[in-house]
Amino acid sequence: MTPIPPAEAIGFMQEATGEFGGIGIVALTSNHDFVLVESVMTDTPASRAGILPGDRIVQVDGVDVASIGAMGAIGKMRGEVGKPLKIVVISGNDITMQTSREISLIREKISVQTIINQQTLQNGKIGYLMVTQFSGHTANDFLASVRQMVSDGIESLIVDLRGNGGGLLTEAVRMAGAFLPEGTLIVS
């Protein structure tokens, strides 16, 4: 069995709890020369600084992403809440229209929303929830959403787990337990 490097273990635990110090971006790491911003969370340092989906982060605290890789850069962007961070962002898709800018940010507590796309279908009779991962607050958020939908009159529920990245087994068990008779074995 290969041990998990400490930095990866810390990153996993931050993801699993659903809270960490950061700037509020969802990033793609398929290219090692930059971090591609896939989306920006609302009311975070990144959104207030004007970072947009499609922007490329090429430098973090004076270190080129090309020298540490995209995952290393993401690790550097996370950190202690309240600590400053400088990044260099390239915006624009057209090579002749690209702009580069240095942005100073202060890391904040970022809470990952794991219950998204809550809606009702069929005139409010069917509830729909998408669960993107099982973090430390997923079951509570899920159960609160279900209670609200039931009080609004839904008769059935679709729980969409497509693309769910996994996470904490205890949260998945708590969610499943809400629909099964007490004492039902969920995990063995």
Side-chain angles (χ1 to χ4, degrees):
M1 183 171 172
T2 305
I4 299 173
E8 283 183 39
I10 290 168
F12 173 77
M13 288 310 297
Q14 289 173 337
E15 287 288 326
T17 61
E19 296 180 345
F20 54 89
I23 62 171
I25 63 168
V26 176
L28 296 176
T29 59
S30 57
N31 186 311
H32 296 290
D33 293 338
F34 58 84
V35 173
L36 179 64
V37 177
E38 181 178 16
S39 62
V40 181
M41 298 174 192
T42 305
D43 196 29
T44 61
S47 68
R48 289 189 294 275
I51 296 172
L52 299 171
D55 285 351
R56 294 175 306 280
I57 299 170
V58 295
Q59 197 176 82
V60 179
D61 277 340
V63 179
D64 289 335
V65 173
S67 69
I68 58 173
M71 289 303 293
I74 289 171
K76 285 182 75 61
M77 285 187 275
R78 289 186 176 178
E80 188 177 337
V81 172
K83 292 287 184 179
L85 170 73
K86 284 187 181 181
I87 60 175
V88 174
V89 175
I90 296 176
S91 300
N93 291 328
D94 182 349
I95 196 91
T96 61
M97 301 296 285
Q98 290 181 347
T99 59
S100 171
R101 59 195 166 114
E102 183 175 272
I103 301 171
S104 295
L105 304 161
I106 304 292
R107 292 177 184 94
E108 293 179 7
K109 179 178 166 185
I110 305 297
S111 294
V112 178
Q113 295 302 114
T114 61
I115 308 294
I116 62 169
N117 204 10
Q118 178 177 330
Q119 57 183 302
T120 57
L121 312 167
Q122 301 292 318
N123 295 323
K125 298 296 180 191
I126 300 172
Y128 173 88
L129 294 170
M130 176 176 269
V131 182
T132 60
Q133 70 182 49
F134 298 105
S135 70
H137 55 81
T138 301
N140 286 340
D141 293 349
F142 175 80
L143 294 171
S145 293
V146 169
R147 277 192 289 278
Q148 181 61 53
M149 291 176 137
V150 168
S151 75
D152 290 345
I154 67 163
E155 296 172 0
S156 57
L157 177 67
I158 298 169
V159 179
D160 189 346
L161 299 174
R162 292 175 295 172
N164 183 301
L168 298 176
L169 180 61
T170 55
E171 295 297 297
V173 168
R174 284 186 58 215
M175 284 175 54
F179 300 100
L180 299 171
E182 191 172 330
T184 300
L185 182 62
I186 298 172
V187 178
S188 67

